Amino acid sequence: MKKPPYLLSGIILFGFGIYFLLQYYQLSLFQGFYSWPTLFVIVGIAFLVNGYAGKDYSFIFPGVLLTGIGLHFHITQHLAVTIDISGIFLLLISIGLFLTYVKTGNGLFQGILFLAISLLLLFFDKLKEGLLKNGQSIAWIDQAWPYLFIVFGLYFLFFHKRK
């Protein structure tokens, strides 16, 4: 029987209360954090705490995604850097799958797959530049990404053997 998510609700309400209280008093120390990415981080941390402390490991994956997305947007806003969001999102998925694997023993292959795809997306421009300097072109990969995703997705949906 699943436990009711009181821990999750409590942490979210507590976190939002602190957020709105700090926003109300406009503390200069937290000036750049009164935005929606902070709300993502609060909810993500609540999921992670519920996943680990509440021993409901299905909450780890969404916790990693929400916390990571919030942190990503804070970092890109405050450091004025641009990082490919699709590569970061797939990297967060792989981290979530790895952390879930540590607790449940499921998802290792998918974590490795998403890690490889995320690294390719994050470093594709540098890879393409390096190969172009050597006289090789990998422009076909730009057109092949959607098809590869569809093929892998169909494989996992219909052909991958379940335990």
Side-chain angles (χ1 to χ4, degrees), residues 1 6 18 22 25 28 48 51 54 80 88 96 114 136 139 148 154-155:
M1 183 164 118
Y6 295 118
I18 296 293
L22 291 174
Y25 286 110
S28 61
L48 287 170
I88 291 294
F114 279 104
Q136 300 171 343
L148 291 173
L154 289 173
Y155 170 77

Side-chain angles (χ1 to χ4, degrees), residues 9-10 12 31-32 40-41 47 66 69 74-76 95 111 116 121 123-125 132 134 158-159 161:
S9 301
I12 290 173
Q31 197 62 35
F40 269 59
V41 172
F47 271 94
L66 291 170
I69 289 170
H74 269 303
I75 290 168
T76 57
I95 292 169
L121 287 175
F123 298 107
F124 186 72
D125 291 335
L132 283 175
N134 293 333
F158 298 111
F159 302 110
K161 295 183 182 184

Side-chain angles (χ1 to χ4, degrees), residues 20 24 38 42 98 119 132 155 161:
F20 291 125
Y24 178 76
T38 302
I42 291 168
F98 284 136
L119 292 175
L132 283 175
Y155 170 77
K161 295 183 182 184

